[in-house]
Amino acid sequence: MIVSCLTRLMLLLALLLPLGASATHIVGGELDLQHSTGSNYTLTLNLYFDAINGSAGALDQSLIAGIFDKTTNQRLTLVTLPLTSNTFVQYTNPACAVGSLSTRKLVYAKDIVLDATTYANPAGYYVAVERCCRNLSISNIVNPGSAAQTFYLEFPAVVRSGAAFIDSTPRIFPPLGDYACRGELFYYDFGGVDPDGDSLVYDMVTPLNGHSTAAANNTAPLPTGAPYSPITWNAGLSTRNQIPGSPALGIDAHTGRLTVRASNLGLFVFGARCSEYRRGVKIGETRRDFQLYVLNCPTNTAPALQMHLAGSIINYRPGRDTLRLLPSGPRCLTIRYTDPDANSVLTMTSRPVNFTVPAVTFTTTATGTVRAATDTLTTTLCFPECTDTKGKVYLLDLIVADNGCSLPKHDTLRVAFTATQPPNAAPVLTTSFPPAPLPISDDVPAVVRVTMGQRYTATLAGTDADRNALALTATGAGFDLAAVGMQFTAQNGTGQANATFSWEPSCTAVAIAGEGGLLVHFQLAETGPCTPLPQTRTVRFEVVPAADPAVFKPANVITPNNDGLNDFFYMPDLPLDFCDQKFANIRIFSRWGQQVYSSSERGFQWGGMGTGGLYYYLVTYTDGRKFKGWVEVIL
């Protein structure tokens, strides 16, 4: 937390690292196999390298991976993995970094092909990379300067029952550059996520040594098949006791969280495994080796917090009190927090335990520095007015953390509370639309049929007894209202809203509507602070043609003698056009079937052929309708 603290830690680390460690470099690492497309995968090795004491000659520009059959241990192929990235592993709290503890993450990666003809063994396969040597200063294994690491990963066949079987390695949480303080609880998230949604299970494993030796320290050997010899633990240590303490280093099988309260000083290597299961069957695993320094750290006392409801001076008693938040009462908490260590930077956070929404918010700053042991910081946290636990007791953790090294210390206060929101009556929506068939729902809308060429108008009105702000809206189902000529105008307000809907259909609307009509959703929504209770009406609009003349019976006699009376044959009462369903043409034939006249104008006039007699006509519409008849010409 302060400069003198970091200085002392740096001196302690310098004493821990002997001068003879310059020829060693491996901190740990893991393999990763990710599916891309088809039979294509990316094979990656993450190698963690001691950036302070690692031998420069041991920083390989490429490493060789072997892929083996699990049944026979036969090597199927070798893959050269080039170095693609070289970065530093970060600290949880960068302010806690010390100059004698630095780790590089070296990434070696190559795109490979796993074809179904080669990788079809139901027992699966494994990948191995072997390299020497581990850090000479490791405290918990025998002869660490000559100990190697075998990076190991298992994966299933890429085909099962004749179908592709896709699997990618779980992505383990990135390692951190942290150290642990002796006698203090240390926690570390090694949990991962699986791209395929497989179940993950974690356990501690003894790191693998394999076949590589110190004799080839600056050369990466060709990997050979299993079995791989493990490292040798010092006396009294084992897979379940890799870092001694109370508790010893362990991992949560479900979350991958590592926990230890180390009792010994030193540099400790450890191994953890993540196994993946699909439908209850194990299909693969990946292992990670890493290291943890355990140091004597300056004393860091945990911070402390107290809380009471705003307006009250009585502190909340966890496990005994339950806050009851009422609509008319206070909904804010006053939190006081402090730390006995001067110059501690404290940060307040909140974490819901058994609920997700609504989120509580800090209305004042939630971070501050305790300049002296007697300082106390204050912050305010408020619950939204609409918080409603619906009769249940919700739990909220209030957490204060300091900036101590290597990890922050915390104090947590669990608050139990119930809350109700102000009563809210649903608004009322009335319209001039016809009623929908019962029961009224969006699935059974009201139907409005509008005649082509006529304008339809409807009104909507909304009221709210609680005087909340109201808003009326109209939304087309898959179309824009304006695109089909619909107009919606709303006057929204407090406790009341009114709107007018109007529409004069066009052929564009007919084309968009098709046979199903046009669905419009009308909604009256509250914009008040609490749970809205919107009211909706759905109306289906259909376009119908104007009514045809009552009788379509054209004249069947004409007398073309130029007396101005009945000189022409025409059809003023033809069925009306309706968008694409319109008059196409008329053709007139002699009694011997010879066409003597045609026209595509519905206002045609035919004056005969100068020859009297009987003629036949055929009227055709674009939708296939036909009308036939005869007309006699009398001269």
Side-chain angles (χ1 to χ4, degrees):
M1 294 184 290
I2 54 178
V3 175
S4 60
C5 169
L6 293 178
T7 303
R8 290 172 62 188
L9 287 172
M10 292 172 66
L11 292 173
L12 285 166
L13 282 172
L15 291 173
L16 268 171
L17 300 175
L19 296 174
S22 59
T24 59
H25 68 285
I26 295 179
V27 171
E30 75 272 350
L31 283 161
D32 178 80
L33 183 65
Q34 297 294 316
H35 176 258
S36 51
T37 59
S39 300
N40 300 308
Y41 291 76
T42 300
L43 178 62
T44 303
L45 168 66
N46 299 316
L47 187 150
Y48 304 107
F49 189 98
D50 186 339
I52 301 297
N53 302 287
S55 170
L59 201 163
D60 304 294
Q61 293 306 304
S62 65
L63 286 170
I64 300 175
I67 303 180
F68 301 85
D69 186 300
K70 281 187 66 179
T71 301
T72 64
N73 291 319
Q74 176 187 357
R75 187 172 66 201
L76 302 180
T77 189
L78 291 173
V79 180
T80 299
L81 304 174
L83 179 65
T84 60
S85 175
N86 184 342
T87 58
F88 284 99
V89 175
Q90 300 299 313
Y91 285 78
T92 298
N93 181 2
C96 293
V98 292
S100 298
L101 179 59
S102 180
T103 304
R104 287 185 177 274
K105 179 181 179 181
L106 308 179
V107 179
Y108 299 85
K110 182 69 176 292
D111 292 336
I112 63 173
V113 176
L114 300 179
D115 62 273
T117 58
T118 302
Y119 297 94
N121 182 358
Y125 303 86
Y126 62 90
V127 184
V129 175
E130 300 191 58
R131 189 66 170 99
C132 195
C133 296
R134 298 180 187 268
N135 277 345
L136 183 65
S137 53
I138 294 174
S139 307
N140 57 340
I141 65 175
V142 174
N143 195 13
S146 297
Q149 177 172 351
T150 297
F151 304 86
Y152 183 84
L153 173 144
E154 294 181 2
F155 66 93
V158 299
V159 60
R160 285 190 178 179
S161 302
F165 190 83
I166 304 300
D167 179 59
S168 294
T169 306
R171 289 289 179 85
I172 304 177
F173 187 85
L176 302 170
D178 299 338
Y179 50 88
C181 298
R182 183 169 67 170
E184 299 286 351
L185 186 66
F186 180 83
Y187 45 89
Y188 210 83
D189 187 359
F190 258 37
V193 293
D194 190 83
D196 310 303
D198 296 323
S199 299
L200 304 181
V201 177
Y202 307 89
D203 64 341
M204 304 301 300
V205 291
T206 294
L208 298 176
N209 188 96
H211 307 97
S212 183
T213 65
N217 183 40
N218 289 332
T219 302
L222 293 180
T224 56
Y228 302 106
S229 60
I231 54 90
T232 303
W233 296 111
N234 284 342
L237 302 182
S238 65
T239 302
R240 295 188 177 184
N241 188 31
Q242 300 185 31
I243 302 179
S246 180
L249 182 66
I251 192 167
D252 187 289
H254 302 291
T255 66
R257 183 182 175 91
L258 286 161
T259 306
V260 64
R261 182 178 279 106
S263 57
N264 296 351
L265 299 174
L267 175 64
F268 298 88
V269 66
F270 63 90
R273 172 171 57 190
C274 176
S275 301
E276 55 177 332
Y277 290 79
R278 189 173 299 179
R279 298 182 181 91
V281 177
K282 181 179 177 180
I283 60 173
E285 71 173 54
T286 185
R287 292 172 172 239
R288 172 185 283 173
D289 289 5
F290 208 64
Q291 295 177 173
L292 181 64
Y293 272 115
V294 179
L295 309 173
N296 277 326
C297 300
T299 300
N300 176 32
T301 307
L305 66 88
Q306 293 179 332
M307 183 276 294
H308 56 81
L309 194 60
S312 170
I313 60 174
I314 301 175
N315 288 332
Y316 178 83
R317 298 169 298 178
R320 298 177 60 185
D321 295 341
T322 298
L323 298 181
R324 304 191 184 281
L325 307 178
L326 303 175
S328 58
R331 304 182 78 84
C332 295
L333 308 178
T334 300
I335 305 166
R336 300 182 185 278
Y337 50 107
T338 187
D339 195 307
D341 301 322
N343 297 314
S344 289
V345 178
L346 304 182
T347 302
M348 282 294 311
T349 57
S350 65
R351 182 178 60 206
V353 177
N354 60 348
F355 69 99
T356 55
V357 291
V360 295
T361 56
F362 290 98
T363 58
T364 59
T365 181
T367 301
T369 301
V370 176
R371 302 297 179 185
T374 57
D375 283 356
T376 298
L377 305 176
T378 302
T379 189
T380 301
L381 179 143
C382 295
F383 295 86
E385 182 181 352
C386 294
T387 302
D388 188 354
T389 64
K390 301 186 183 303
K392 300 179 181 179
V393 176
Y394 282 1
L395 301 176
L396 176 72
D397 281 348
L398 303 179
I399 306 165
V400 59
D402 66 15
N403 63 329
C405 297
S406 67
L407 294 176
K409 285 195 173 180
H410 305 83
D411 186 25
T412 301
L413 186 149
R414 178 161 291 181
V415 179
F417 70 95
T418 63
T420 57
Q421 65 181 17
N424 181 38
V428 176
L429 173 63
T430 58
T431 75
S432 61
F433 295 122
L438 295 176
I440 296 176
S441 69
D442 286 346
D443 296 330
V444 186
V447 177
V448 172
R449 294 180 174 86
V450 183
T451 302
M452 178 69 75
Q454 297 183 8
R455 177 170 290 276
Y456 174 82
T457 301
T459 58
L460 302 91
T463 57
D464 185 67
D466 301 315
R467 300 294 296 168
N468 288 325
L470 297 179
L472 277 165
T473 58
T475 306
F479 68 94
D480 181 71
L481 298 184
V484 298
M486 292 180 175
Q487 297 178 340
F488 184 81
T489 305
Q491 297 82 40
N492 299 319
T494 301
Q496 185 172 354
N498 297 284
T500 300
F501 172 85
S502 62
W503 183 40
E504 184 173 337
S506 64
C507 289
T508 299
V510 173
I512 294 176
E515 296 182 358
L518 297 168
L519 282 177
V520 180
H521 303 291
F522 298 92
Q523 183 179 74
L524 173 67
E526 294 177 287
T527 58
C530 293
T531 305
L533 299 169
Q535 305 298 305
T536 60
R537 287 291 308 275
T538 298
V539 180
R540 183 173 72 238
F541 292 92
E542 299 177 354
V543 185
V544 295
D548 287 328
V551 178
F552 171 53
K553 192 175 182 180
N556 55 10
V557 174
I558 61 172
T559 56
N561 54 11
N562 296 319
D563 63 354
L565 300 173
N566 206 27
D567 289 331
F568 298 97
F569 174 66
Y570 59 96
M571 296 182 175
D573 297 328
L574 275 170
L576 299 177
D577 290 346
F578 180 66
C579 298
D580 290 337
Q581 305 170 20
K582 56 188 177 183
F583 175 85
N585 59 59
I586 181 172
R587 290 183 293 167
I588 300 178
F589 302 87
S590 69
R591 62 190 301 177
W592 296 278
Q594 181 182 4
Q595 180 174 309
V596 297
Y597 178 79
S598 70
S599 175
S600 59
E601 299 292 333
R602 67 178 294 131
F604 71 91
Q605 289 186 341
W606 180 62
M609 295 295 298
T611 303
L614 199 63
Y615 294 85
Y616 300 89
Y617 63 82
L618 174 65
V619 175
T620 303
Y621 275 70
T622 56
D623 61 354
R625 287 179 295 166
K626 295 180 180 180
F627 302 93
K628 297 185 288 185
W630 58 269
V631 60
E632 184 178 3
V633 178
I634 300 176
L635 298 177

